[in-house]
Amino acid sequence: MPDQSVDHPGLVVPAGHVEPVPRRIRAQVGGRWVFDTRRAWYVWEWPGYPQYAVPLRDLAEGVLLTDDGRTGRLAPGPARRHSLRIGAEVRAGAAWVWAEGAPERLVGTARFRWDALDAWYEEEEQVFVHPRSPYTRVDALRSSSSVRVEVDGVVLADAPSSVKLFETGLPTRYYLERTCVDWTLLRPSDTVTQCPYKGRTSGYWSFAHGTAVHADLAWAYDFPTAACSAVAGMVAFYNERVDLSVDGVALPRPTALTRERWDRLNA
């Protein structure tokens, strides 16, 4: 029986898939370039999004990778863990260097742990969290659909229209005008998140009802990327944590396919 909570296309790229990256990829540590390449590969270690595999020959002068003596088997094949040294800076376990037995195109390349480097760039634009998948599409469309948001029977928002954000592999998100949200019920939090496709959030809000605390139910992007400019200043709620009605029809709460859930399903 199909999962009735799924209202969006699924992910289509299998773990272990490898494709060329047609973009210039660079990264920094301490303001110094670690690598600069036009010969990177996308490598999918899980279906949600890829990582970059960077040719070792494109590491900057003075950048050293030292073998940590640990071998791991990632989805595409075996790799050996390395630490990164650039000047006086050392980042332990910063990279996996693909070993014999991995796809031929990956041998002689390194997959850097994203948070081991300070800043990543595609061409001249900084990229956050992880590489943008060439198979992911994000569309923000104005809609006449009304949206009602409730938690524990309390109405948090009631909007006559919305902007629907469609992102491959994720539930549809409904962005609402701030004037349609009951701000007397919400409290700001210090949470900030980043998205490769939408940018950095400008706010998160939580809701407390009785003894129940529902943390970080809603968020906003005041300054999203150009591709998602239609949601600027609007507020969205996690479908997974609230009760949503769209055009008067209650939606089931979806179950998000996180990397951790994917690993459990394929353990």
Side-chain angles (χ1 to χ4, degrees), residues 114-138:
W114 193 267
D115 61 0
L117 307 184
D118 296 341
W120 294 76
Y121 293 85
E122 289 186 350
E123 300 296 340
E124 307 306 316
E125 292 191 9
Q126 189 171 357
V127 184
F128 302 96
V129 188
H130 60 73
R132 296 167 179 161
S133 171
Y135 300 118
T136 292
R137 183 180 177 113
V138 182

PDB file of all heavy atoms in Angstrom, residues 114-138:
ATOM      1  N   TRP A 114      32.626  18.140   4.742  1.00  0.00           N
ATOM      2  CA  TRP A 114      32.187  19.501   4.456  1.00  0.00           C
ATOM      3  C   TRP A 114      32.600  20.475   5.549  1.00  0.00           C
ATOM      4  O   TRP A 114      33.143  21.547   5.281  1.00  0.00           O
ATOM      5  CB  TRP A 114      30.668  19.536   4.263  1.00  0.00           C
ATOM      6  CG  TRP A 114      30.206  20.829   3.668  1.00  0.00           C
ATOM      7  CD1 TRP A 114      29.780  21.938   4.337  1.00  0.00           C
ATOM      8  CD2 TRP A 114      30.159  21.163   2.276  1.00  0.00           C
ATOM      9  NE1 TRP A 114      29.455  22.943   3.456  1.00  0.00           N
ATOM     10  CE2 TRP A 114      29.676  22.478   2.183  1.00  0.00           C
ATOM     11  CE3 TRP A 114      30.460  20.467   1.110  1.00  0.00           C
ATOM     12  CZ2 TRP A 114      29.497  23.129   0.968  1.00  0.00           C
ATOM     13  CZ3 TRP A 114      30.275  21.108  -0.107  1.00  0.00           C
ATOM     14  CH2 TRP A 114      29.799  22.416  -0.172  1.00  0.00           C
ATOM     15  N   ASP A 115      32.372  20.108   6.820  1.00  0.00           N
ATOM     16  CA  ASP A 115      32.652  21.043   7.903  1.00  0.00           C
ATOM     17  C   ASP A 115      34.128  21.090   8.289  1.00  0.00           C
ATOM     18  O   ASP A 115      34.515  21.859   9.176  1.00  0.00           O
ATOM     19  CB  ASP A 115      31.792  20.733   9.127  1.00  0.00           C
ATOM     20  CG  ASP A 115      32.042  19.333   9.688  1.00  0.00           C
ATOM     21  OD1 ASP A 115      32.886  18.599   9.135  1.00  0.00           O
ATOM     22  OD2 ASP A 115      31.385  18.971  10.689  1.00  0.00           O
ATOM     23  N   ALA A 116      34.967  20.295   7.617  1.00  0.00           N
ATOM     24  CA  ALA A 116      36.411  20.360   7.880  1.00  0.00           C
ATOM     25  C   ALA A 116      37.046  21.554   7.177  1.00  0.00           C
ATOM     26  O   ALA A 116      38.166  21.945   7.503  1.00  0.00           O
ATOM     27  CB  ALA A 116      37.095  19.073   7.434  1.00  0.00           C
ATOM     28  N   LEU A 117      36.343  22.130   6.208  1.00  0.00           N
ATOM     29  CA  LEU A 117      36.834  23.300   5.483  1.00  0.00           C
ATOM     30  C   LEU A 117      35.971  24.504   5.843  1.00  0.00           C
ATOM     31  O   LEU A 117      34.800  24.364   6.189  1.00  0.00           O
ATOM     32  CB  LEU A 117      36.813  23.042   3.974  1.00  0.00           C
ATOM     33  CG  LEU A 117      37.534  21.754   3.515  1.00  0.00           C
ATOM     34  CD1 LEU A 117      37.527  21.656   2.004  1.00  0.00           C
ATOM     35  CD2 LEU A 117      38.963  21.699   4.053  1.00  0.00           C
ATOM     36  N   ASP A 118      36.545  25.695   5.756  1.00  0.00           N
ATOM     37  CA  ASP A 118      35.849  26.900   6.238  1.00  0.00           C
ATOM     38  C   ASP A 118      34.840  27.450   5.250  1.00  0.00           C
ATOM     39  O   ASP A 118      33.810  28.007   5.661  1.00  0.00           O
ATOM     40  CB  ASP A 118      36.871  27.993   6.554  1.00  0.00           C
ATOM     41  CG  ASP A 118      37.793  27.608   7.698  1.00  0.00           C
ATOM     42  OD1 ASP A 118      37.437  26.688   8.468  1.00  0.00           O
ATOM     43  OD2 ASP A 118      38.874  28.220   7.813  1.00  0.00           O
ATOM     44  N   ALA A 119      35.131  27.369   3.968  1.00  0.00           N
ATOM     45  CA  ALA A 119      34.238  27.955   2.968  1.00  0.00           C
ATOM     46  C   ALA A 119      34.403  27.227   1.640  1.00  0.00           C
ATOM     47  O   ALA A 119      35.530  26.893   1.249  1.00  0.00           O
ATOM     48  CB  ALA A 119      34.535  29.446   2.787  1.00  0.00           C
ATOM     49  N   TRP A 120      33.268  26.978   0.986  1.00  0.00           N
ATOM     50  CA  TRP A 120      33.236  26.291  -0.308  1.00  0.00           C
ATOM     51  C   TRP A 120      32.636  27.230  -1.356  1.00  0.00           C
ATOM     52  O   TRP A 120      31.720  27.999  -1.050  1.00  0.00           O
ATOM     53  CB  TRP A 120      32.361  25.050  -0.233  1.00  0.00           C
ATOM     54  CG  TRP A 120      32.858  23.958   0.661  1.00  0.00           C
ATOM     55  CD1 TRP A 120      32.810  23.914   2.028  1.00  0.00           C
ATOM     56  CD2 TRP A 120      33.436  22.714   0.246  1.00  0.00           C
ATOM     57  NE1 TRP A 120      33.330  22.738   2.492  1.00  0.00           N
ATOM     58  CE2 TRP A 120      33.724  21.978   1.413  1.00  0.00           C
ATOM     59  CE3 TRP A 120      33.738  22.161  -1.001  1.00  0.00           C
ATOM     60  CZ2 TRP A 120      34.292  20.705   1.378  1.00  0.00           C
ATOM     61  CZ3 TRP A 120      34.307  20.896  -1.043  1.00  0.00           C
ATOM     62  CH2 TRP A 120      34.586  20.184   0.140  1.00  0.00           C
ATOM     63  N   TYR A 121      33.141  27.113  -2.599  1.00  0.00           N
ATOM     64  CA  TYR A 121      32.639  27.974  -3.674  1.00  0.00           C
ATOM     65  C   TYR A 121      32.389  27.160  -4.944  1.00  0.00           C
ATOM     66  O   TYR A 121      33.199  26.306  -5.311  1.00  0.00           O
ATOM     67  CB  TYR A 121      33.644  29.086  -4.000  1.00  0.00           C
ATOM     68  CG  TYR A 121      33.807  30.086  -2.886  1.00  0.00           C
ATOM     69  CD1 TYR A 121      34.699  29.847  -1.842  1.00  0.00           C
ATOM     70  CD2 TYR A 121      33.063  31.265  -2.862  1.00  0.00           C
ATOM     71  CE1 TYR A 121      34.845  30.745  -0.801  1.00  0.00           C
ATOM     72  CE2 TYR A 121      33.214  32.182  -1.829  1.00  0.00           C
ATOM     73  CZ  TYR A 121      34.101  31.912  -0.799  1.00  0.00           C
ATOM     74  OH  TYR A 121      34.239  32.798   0.229  1.00  0.00           O
ATOM     75  N   GLU A 122      31.251  27.428  -5.576  1.00  0.00           N
ATOM     76  CA  GLU A 122      30.991  26.997  -6.950  1.00  0.00           C
ATOM     77  C   GLU A 122      31.111  28.245  -7.808  1.00  0.00           C
ATOM     78  O   GLU A 122      30.349  29.204  -7.621  1.00  0.00           O
ATOM     79  CB  GLU A 122      29.600  26.394  -7.098  1.00  0.00           C
ATOM     80  CG  GLU A 122      29.433  25.044  -6.436  1.00  0.00           C
ATOM     81  CD  GLU A 122      28.082  24.419  -6.733  1.00  0.00           C
ATOM     82  OE1 GLU A 122      27.210  25.119  -7.294  1.00  0.00           O
ATOM     83  OE2 GLU A 122      27.888  23.234  -6.413  1.00  0.00           O
ATOM     84  N   GLU A 123      32.059  28.243  -8.746  1.00  0.00           N
ATOM     85  CA  GLU A 123      32.393  29.462  -9.481  1.00  0.00           C
ATOM     86  C   GLU A 123      32.686  30.562  -8.443  1.00  0.00           C
ATOM     87  O   GLU A 123      33.536  30.376  -7.603  1.00  0.00           O
ATOM     88  CB  GLU A 123      31.274  29.831 -10.463  1.00  0.00           C
ATOM     89  CG  GLU A 123      31.012  28.748 -11.507  1.00  0.00           C
ATOM     90  CD  GLU A 123      32.191  28.480 -12.451  1.00  0.00           C
ATOM     91  OE1 GLU A 123      33.077  29.356 -12.574  1.00  0.00           O
ATOM     92  OE2 GLU A 123      32.226  27.395 -13.066  1.00  0.00           O
ATOM     93  N   GLU A 124      31.953  31.681  -8.447  1.00  0.00           N
ATOM     94  CA  GLU A 124      32.231  32.764  -7.498  1.00  0.00           C
ATOM     95  C   GLU A 124      31.211  32.829  -6.371  1.00  0.00           C
ATOM     96  O   GLU A 124      31.234  33.776  -5.567  1.00  0.00           O
ATOM     97  CB  GLU A 124      32.256  34.121  -8.232  1.00  0.00           C
ATOM     98  CG  GLU A 124      33.180  34.188  -9.423  1.00  0.00           C
ATOM     99  CD  GLU A 124      34.603  33.769  -9.082  1.00  0.00           C
ATOM    100  OE1 GLU A 124      35.127  34.197  -8.035  1.00  0.00           O
ATOM    101  OE2 GLU A 124      35.193  32.994  -9.866  1.00  0.00           O
ATOM    102  N   GLU A 125      30.315  31.850  -6.278  1.00  0.00           N
ATOM    103  CA  GLU A 125      29.274  31.867  -5.256  1.00  0.00           C
ATOM    104  C   GLU A 125      29.569  30.864  -4.154  1.00  0.00           C
ATOM    105  O   GLU A 125      29.876  29.698  -4.436  1.00  0.00           O
ATOM    106  CB  GLU A 125      27.901  31.558  -5.869  1.00  0.00           C
ATOM    107  CG  GLU A 125      27.395  32.638  -6.797  1.00  0.00           C
ATOM    108  CD  GLU A 125      25.941  32.431  -7.177  1.00  0.00           C
ATOM    109  OE1 GLU A 125      25.285  31.541  -6.586  1.00  0.00           O
ATOM    110  OE2 GLU A 125      25.463  33.151  -8.066  1.00  0.00           O
ATOM    111  N   GLN A 126      29.455  31.325  -2.898  1.00  0.00           N
ATOM    112  CA  GLN A 126      29.665  30.424  -1.776  1.00  0.00           C
ATOM    113  C   GLN A 126      28.500  29.442  -1.676  1.00  0.00           C
ATOM    114  O   GLN A 126      27.340  29.797  -1.902  1.00  0.00           O
ATOM    115  CB  GLN A 126      29.805  31.207  -0.472  1.00  0.00           C
ATOM    116  CG  GLN A 126      30.243  30.339   0.703  1.00  0.00           C
ATOM    117  CD  GLN A 126      30.598  31.143   1.936  1.00  0.00           C
ATOM    118  OE1 GLN A 126      30.582  32.378   1.918  1.00  0.00           O
ATOM    119  NE2 GLN A 126      30.928  30.461   3.015  1.00  0.00           N
ATOM    120  N   VAL A 127      28.827  28.196  -1.343  1.00  0.00           N
ATOM    121  CA  VAL A 127      27.835  27.133  -1.196  1.00  0.00           C
ATOM    122  C   VAL A 127      27.848  26.664   0.250  1.00  0.00           C
ATOM    123  O   VAL A 127      28.913  26.521   0.855  1.00  0.00           O
ATOM    124  CB  VAL A 127      28.143  25.949  -2.135  1.00  0.00           C
ATOM    125  CG1 VAL A 127      27.051  24.886  -2.042  1.00  0.00           C
ATOM    126  CG2 VAL A 127      28.280  26.432  -3.566  1.00  0.00           C
ATOM    127  N   PHE A 128      26.655  26.405   0.786  1.00  0.00           N
ATOM    128  CA  PHE A 128      26.528  26.028   2.187  1.00  0.00           C
ATOM    129  C   PHE A 128      26.001  24.601   2.338  1.00  0.00           C
ATOM    130  O   PHE A 128      25.235  24.118   1.499  1.00  0.00           O
ATOM    131  CB  PHE A 128      25.580  26.992   2.910  1.00  0.00           C
ATOM    132  CG  PHE A 128      26.010  28.438   2.841  1.00  0.00           C
ATOM    133  CD1 PHE A 128      25.481  29.284   1.882  1.00  0.00           C
ATOM    134  CD2 PHE A 128      26.957  28.933   3.715  1.00  0.00           C
ATOM    135  CE1 PHE A 128      25.878  30.614   1.808  1.00  0.00           C
ATOM    136  CE2 PHE A 128      27.361  30.266   3.657  1.00  0.00           C
ATOM    137  CZ  PHE A 128      26.830  31.105   2.696  1.00  0.00           C
ATOM    138  N   VAL A 129      26.430  23.926   3.396  1.00  0.00           N
ATOM    139  CA  VAL A 129      25.893  22.637   3.874  1.00  0.00           C
ATOM    140  C   VAL A 129      26.372  21.447   3.057  1.00  0.00           C
ATOM    141  O   VAL A 129      26.919  20.493   3.586  1.00  0.00           O
ATOM    142  CB  VAL A 129      24.351  22.632   3.944  1.00  0.00           C
ATOM    143  CG1 VAL A 129      23.859  21.349   4.620  1.00  0.00           C
ATOM    144  CG2 VAL A 129      23.833  23.859   4.671  1.00  0.00           C
ATOM    145  N   HIS A 130      26.128  21.455   1.747  1.00  0.00           N
ATOM    146  CA  HIS A 130      26.579  20.373   0.874  1.00  0.00           C
ATOM    147  C   HIS A 130      26.433  20.832  -0.571  1.00  0.00           C
ATOM    148  O   HIS A 130      25.775  21.846  -0.850  1.00  0.00           O
ATOM    149  CB  HIS A 130      25.776  19.080   1.118  1.00  0.00           C
ATOM    150  CG  HIS A 130      24.288  19.204   0.880  1.00  0.00           C
ATOM    151  ND1 HIS A 130      23.724  19.296  -0.381  1.00  0.00           N
ATOM    152  CD2 HIS A 130      23.251  19.245   1.748  1.00  0.00           C
ATOM    153  CE1 HIS A 130      22.419  19.379  -0.280  1.00  0.00           C
ATOM    154  NE2 HIS A 130      22.102  19.353   1.001  1.00  0.00           N
ATOM    155  N   PRO A 131      27.032  20.115  -1.537  1.00  0.00           N
ATOM    156  CA  PRO A 131      26.892  20.521  -2.937  1.00  0.00           C
ATOM    157  C   PRO A 131      25.443  20.519  -3.388  1.00  0.00           C
ATOM    158  O   PRO A 131      24.620  19.722  -2.901  1.00  0.00           O
ATOM    159  CB  PRO A 131      27.700  19.447  -3.687  1.00  0.00           C
ATOM    160  CG  PRO A 131      28.667  18.931  -2.685  1.00  0.00           C
ATOM    161  CD  PRO A 131      27.950  18.969  -1.374  1.00  0.00           C
ATOM    162  N   ARG A 132      25.127  21.377  -4.303  1.00  0.00           N
ATOM    163  CA  ARG A 132      23.793  21.371  -4.907  1.00  0.00           C
ATOM    164  C   ARG A 132      23.703  20.227  -5.905  1.00  0.00           C
ATOM    165  O   ARG A 132      24.525  20.116  -6.810  1.00  0.00           O
ATOM    166  CB  ARG A 132      23.533  22.697  -5.619  1.00  0.00           C
ATOM    167  CG  ARG A 132      23.506  23.896  -4.684  1.00  0.00           C
ATOM    168  CD  ARG A 132      23.569  25.187  -5.468  1.00  0.00           C
ATOM    169  NE  ARG A 132      23.510  26.347  -4.583  1.00  0.00           N
ATOM    170  CZ  ARG A 132      23.911  27.564  -4.931  1.00  0.00           C
ATOM    171  NH1 ARG A 132      24.417  27.770  -6.142  1.00  0.00           N
ATOM    172  NH2 ARG A 132      23.823  28.561  -4.076  1.00  0.00           N
ATOM    173  N   SER A 133      22.706  19.389  -5.728  1.00  0.00           N
ATOM    174  CA  SER A 133      22.552  18.251  -6.630  1.00  0.00           C
ATOM    175  C   SER A 133      22.052  18.718  -7.993  1.00  0.00           C
ATOM    176  O   SER A 133      21.100  19.506  -8.070  1.00  0.00           O
ATOM    177  CB  SER A 133      21.557  17.246  -6.054  1.00  0.00           C
ATOM    178  OG  SER A 133      21.258  16.249  -7.006  1.00  0.00           O
ATOM    179  N   PRO A 134      22.647  18.231  -9.086  1.00  0.00           N
ATOM    180  CA  PRO A 134      22.144  18.599 -10.417  1.00  0.00           C
ATOM    181  C   PRO A 134      20.780  17.993 -10.703  1.00  0.00           C
ATOM    182  O   PRO A 134      20.127  18.359 -11.680  1.00  0.00           O
ATOM    183  CB  PRO A 134      23.213  18.030 -11.361  1.00  0.00           C
ATOM    184  CG  PRO A 134      23.819  16.902 -10.602  1.00  0.00           C
ATOM    185  CD  PRO A 134      23.814  17.333  -9.156  1.00  0.00           C
ATOM    186  N   TYR A 135      20.327  17.061  -9.858  1.00  0.00           N
ATOM    187  CA  TYR A 135      19.035  16.410 -10.059  1.00  0.00           C
ATOM    188  C   TYR A 135      17.953  16.965  -9.147  1.00  0.00           C
ATOM    189  O   TYR A 135      16.834  16.452  -9.124  1.00  0.00           O
ATOM    190  CB  TYR A 135      19.158  14.906  -9.825  1.00  0.00           C
ATOM    191  CG  TYR A 135      20.135  14.241 -10.757  1.00  0.00           C
ATOM    192  CD1 TYR A 135      21.270  13.613 -10.268  1.00  0.00           C
ATOM    193  CD2 TYR A 135      19.946  14.258 -12.141  1.00  0.00           C
ATOM    194  CE1 TYR A 135      22.185  13.006 -11.125  1.00  0.00           C
ATOM    195  CE2 TYR A 135      20.847  13.664 -13.003  1.00  0.00           C
ATOM    196  CZ  TYR A 135      21.964  13.035 -12.486  1.00  0.00           C
ATOM    197  OH  TYR A 135      22.872  12.442 -13.327  1.00  0.00           O
ATOM    198  N   THR A 136      18.270  18.004  -8.384  1.00  0.00           N
ATOM    199  CA  THR A 136      17.283  18.621  -7.502  1.00  0.00           C
ATOM    200  C   THR A 136      16.777  19.911  -8.118  1.00  0.00           C
ATOM    201  O   THR A 136      17.556  20.745  -8.555  1.00  0.00           O
ATOM    202  CB  THR A 136      17.899  18.915  -6.122  1.00  0.00           C
ATOM    203  OG1 THR A 136      18.176  17.679  -5.466  1.00  0.00           O
ATOM    204  CG2 THR A 136      16.950  19.722  -5.253  1.00  0.00           C
ATOM    205  N   ARG A 137      15.465  20.051  -8.122  1.00  0.00           N
ATOM    206  CA  ARG A 137      14.845  21.272  -8.620  1.00  0.00           C
ATOM    207  C   ARG A 137      14.069  21.924  -7.478  1.00  0.00           C
ATOM    208  O   ARG A 137      13.425  21.240  -6.686  1.00  0.00           O
ATOM    209  CB  ARG A 137      13.899  20.954  -9.777  1.00  0.00           C
ATOM    210  CG  ARG A 137      13.264  22.192 -10.392  1.00  0.00           C
ATOM    211  CD  ARG A 137      12.334  21.856 -11.530  1.00  0.00           C
ATOM    212  NE  ARG A 137      11.705  23.069 -12.043  1.00  0.00           N
ATOM    213  CZ  ARG A 137      11.914  23.570 -13.240  1.00  0.00           C
ATOM    214  NH1 ARG A 137      12.748  22.958 -14.071  1.00  0.00           N
ATOM    215  NH2 ARG A 137      11.308  24.667 -13.633  1.00  0.00           N
ATOM    216  N   VAL A 138      14.141  23.253  -7.396  1.00  0.00           N
ATOM    217  CA  VAL A 138      13.408  24.003  -6.389  1.00  0.00           C
ATOM    218  C   VAL A 138      12.602  25.094  -7.095  1.00  0.00           C
ATOM    219  O   VAL A 138      13.175  25.929  -7.797  1.00  0.00           O
ATOM    220  CB  VAL A 138      14.357  24.636  -5.355  1.00  0.00           C
ATOM    221  CG1 VAL A 138      13.557  25.371  -4.285  1.00  0.00           C
ATOM    222  CG2 VAL A 138      15.232  23.570  -4.709  1.00  0.00           C
TER     223      VAL A 138
END
